[in-house]
Amino acid sequence: MKNFMLVFLTCSALYAQTSAVELYEESQKALSAGNIELAGEKIRAAIEADKSNEKFRSEFDRLNKLRNKRNNANRAVQDGRFDDAIQGFGDVLQSVPNSAESLYGTGKAYEGKKEFITAVDFYKKSLQVDSGYDKSKKSISNVAKKLYNSANQDYKNGNLESALTKYNQVLMINPRIYQAHFQIGVLQRK
């Protein structure tokens, strides 16, 4: 009976170790896919399976720091500190280049700075990582509308060169906005 228990405990320990390593590998796959949250859940489960593994713990700490940087960058966007947000998201993207959320956040920061074309570039990058990232799709549409409205305002104020530039930018973002085509025609006629 003692031998059976000894074999059972040894097998259980080996299985837990293997399971922990598999969870760690799943965490790394999730991270390379850009999913910081799932990576954190997997590494937490790996730590539970092998509580003495320092490599897992240091990876968990690193993921927490990345998650905190991303959260702080999101707060910076909300607070209007766009340069701080761009820096924070950039730090996250250095470690996790496929983070659709961080690419989107960078786009929001550039949109806040009124650098619309750069914002759209980041929104499109987030869609390359995750084609179903609806926030980016909606933001691209909103940027085109903002630019179009701004161009109309410039037109009304007599700033025709600026209006023409903005209408062209609208068409770079979404060439199907026929109103911008029409307005360019009106401007060229003048």
Side-chain angles (χ1 to χ4, degrees), residues 141-153:
S141 176
N142 288 340
V143 166
K145 289 175 188 173
K146 284 181 186 178
L147 268 173
Y148 180 77
N149 290 335
S150 178
N152 285 341
Q153 191 63 45

Side-chain angles (χ1 to χ4, degrees), residues 82-118:
F82 303 119
D83 290 328
D84 292 343
I86 291 167
Q87 178 64 46
F89 287 124
D91 292 346
V92 174
L93 289 168
Q94 284 180 348
S95 295
V96 189
N98 289 330
S99 172
E101 187 175 347
S102 296
L103 290 165
Y104 168 78
T106 305
K108 281 311 242 187
Y110 278 110
E111 185 178 341
K113 290 179 70 166
K114 308 244 186 287
E115 295 180 27
F116 296 118
I117 299 303
T118 305

Side-chain angles (χ1 to χ4, degrees), residues 73-181:
N74 278 324
R75 267 189 235 104
V77 169
Q78 293 170 354
D79 295 344
R81 295 179 292 115
F82 303 119
D83 290 328
D84 292 343
I86 291 167
Q87 178 64 46
F89 287 124
D91 292 346
V92 174
L93 289 168
Q94 284 180 348
S95 295
V96 189
N98 289 330
S99 172
E101 187 175 347
S102 296
L103 290 165
Y104 168 78
T106 305
K108 281 311 242 187
Y110 278 110
E111 185 178 341
K113 290 179 70 166
K114 308 244 186 287
E115 295 180 27
F116 296 118
I117 299 303
T118 305
V120 169
D121 288 342
F122 275 96
Y123 294 143
K124 287 180 179 179
K125 287 178 185 177
S126 75
L127 288 170
Q128 289 171 352
V129 170
D130 181 358
S131 62
Y133 203 75
D134 290 334
K135 289 181 181 180
S136 288
K137 291 176 185 177
K138 186 175 181 181
S139 291
I140 289 170
S141 176
N142 288 340
V143 166
K145 289 175 188 173
K146 284 181 186 178
L147 268 173
Y148 180 77
N149 290 335
S150 178
N152 285 341
Q153 191 63 45
D154 286 348
Y155 176 75
K156 287 177 186 174
N157 293 337
N159 193 349
L160 303 182
E161 284 298 317
S162 177
L164 182 61
T165 299
K166 289 177 182 176
Y167 287 130
N168 282 317
Q169 288 175 337
V170 168
L171 294 175
M172 284 176 22
I173 295 168
N174 185 350
R176 293 180 290 173
I177 299 178
Y178 68 89
Q179 297 94 332
H181 287 287

Side-chain angles (χ1 to χ4, degrees), residues 16-32 38-50 53-63:
Q17 180 66 26
T18 302
S19 178
V21 170
E22 288 172 358
L23 288 166
Y24 176 79
E25 289 171 0
E26 288 176 20
S27 170
Q28 294 306 297
K29 286 178 186 174
L31 193 60
S32 66
L38 181 60
E41 291 172 18
K42 295 291 184 180
I43 198 70
R44 190 176 305 119
I47 290 169
E48 285 298 316
D50 184 4
N53 193 316
E54 286 301 316
K55 179 181 176 183
F56 297 167
R57 291 184 184 284
S58 66
E59 179 64 5
F60 181 77
D61 291 342
R62 185 177 82 88
L63 289 176

Side-chain angles (χ1 to χ4, degrees), residues 59-77:
E59 179 64 5
F60 181 77
D61 291 342
R62 185 177 82 88
L63 289 176
N64 270 341
K65 287 177 185 171
L66 288 172
R67 191 175 17 252
N68 288 338
K69 272 190 188 258
R70 188 193 60 212
N71 291 342
N72 289 338
N74 278 324
R75 267 189 235 104
V77 169

